[in-house]
Amino acid sequence: MRLYLLQKMRDNFMRFKLHRITGLSRNFFFKINALTSLSRWRAANTCEGPDDFYSPVWDYNKRFSIYQYLLEKYQLQHSPFNYLEFGVAEGDSLKWWVENCRHEETVFMGFDTFEGLPEDWGTFKKGDMAYEMGALDIADTRLSVYKGLFQETLIQALENLQTNRRHIIHLDADLFTSTLFALTQLFRFLKKDDILIFDEFATPTHEFSAFKIFTESCYINYEVLTAACNYTFVAIRII
């Protein structure tokens, strides 16, 4: 009987297009639920290393302290690894990694549309944050840059990925869709001690939600290494 009633409710919901009414409140409650999930996640996952929570001052340059912590902790300048960055933009973070990790066998891969966001993100509109690919000004033969949607470039780019080394994966794509796609395509390569870096993690309906869905769906175990700017920047180790 209960199943029958649920089925009738479902059928009538679609029949009378009740989404036109309930849809008005859906976005608000969706965001509240995502905020609740983020807060619960933070309370359950303490950082192994530095964590500035709660910090009343937001400083974008704190992301470099995350990179420096990882560099020193894992001595990344002395051993080869694969560095993949999603959302290169003007190339500040990519340039930092290239300049600070000089091992000749380290591989750097950058992915971006270089035509701005492929869809709206908060107050930013589709096409915002566009940067010219030629303006990167990173002259290093270890670096390969891929222009286009991740859905167009990533699968082929991963064909020659060397899997017998650590992966440092920098996720700065902002969007839920872009972040989730990148993570799901990288799933088959992830292993113990690989590191995920997020640049907008505390945006609850985007990078955080993509991470949560990915790790729960793929049964990924992890630990939080360090965080800055109230979990805007987060580094996570696969365990």
Side-chain angles (χ1 to χ4, degrees), residues 60-219:
Y60 194 54
N61 287 323
K62 282 188 177 181
R63 58 182 173 154
F64 296 111
S65 67
I66 297 281
Y67 310 159
Q68 189 66 39
Y69 174 79
L70 297 174
L71 185 78
E72 296 174 0
K73 179 177 177 63
Y74 297 106
Q75 294 295 292
L76 296 173
Q77 66 272 44
H78 301 307
S79 58
F81 60 92
N82 297 323
Y83 176 85
L84 291 80
E85 181 166 319
F86 296 90
V88 172
E90 69 270 40
D92 288 347
S93 56
L94 181 58
K95 183 177 292 186
W96 189 97
W97 283 96
V98 169
E99 291 178 349
N100 285 277
C101 299
R102 302 307 307 170
H103 195 287
E104 61 182 12
E105 295 182 15
T106 293
V107 172
F108 297 93
M109 304 170 71
F111 300 84
D112 202 299
T113 66
F114 295 101
E115 295 177 356
L117 293 167
E119 60 188 74
D120 293 351
W121 177 59
T123 59
F124 294 95
K125 299 302 181 183
K126 179 179 179 179
D128 284 353
M129 296 189 286
Y131 297 90
E132 290 291 335
M133 182 175 173
L136 285 179
D137 190 29
I138 305 176
D140 196 301
T141 57
R142 300 172 299 163
L143 170 64
S144 299
V145 180
Y146 301 85
K147 183 181 188 298
L149 295 171
F150 303 160
Q151 291 85 343
E152 299 170 342
T153 61
L154 180 55
I155 295 174
Q156 184 175 355
L158 293 177
E159 288 181 356
N160 298 317
L161 188 69
Q162 299 182 52
T163 59
N164 60 341
R165 54 172 64 177
R166 171 180 273 130
H167 301 107
I168 309 291
I169 300 166
H170 188 161
L171 295 141
D172 189 14
D174 302 329
L175 297 168
F176 169 84
T177 50
S178 301
T179 304
L180 184 60
F181 180 81
L183 286 170
T184 53
Q185 292 304 310
L186 289 164
F187 169 66
R188 64 190 188 275
F189 301 108
L190 289 179
K191 59 187 180 302
K192 185 176 182 292
D193 291 331
D194 286 347
I195 296 171
L196 306 178
I197 305 170
F198 291 88
D199 203 79
E200 297 289 346
F201 189 79
T203 306
T205 58
H206 286 276
E207 287 188 12
F208 169 73
S209 289
F211 169 78
K212 187 171 186 292
I213 289 172
F214 170 70
T215 52
E216 292 177 353
S217 300
C218 297
Y219 301 113

Side-chain angles (χ1 to χ4, degrees), residues 17-35:
K17 301 180 181 178
L18 296 180
H19 62 270
R20 292 177 296 188
I21 298 174
T22 58
L24 296 175
S25 60
R26 175 185 178 277
N27 192 48
F28 172 77
F29 287 108
F30 173 71
K31 290 180 178 179
I32 292 297
N33 182 65
L35 280 169

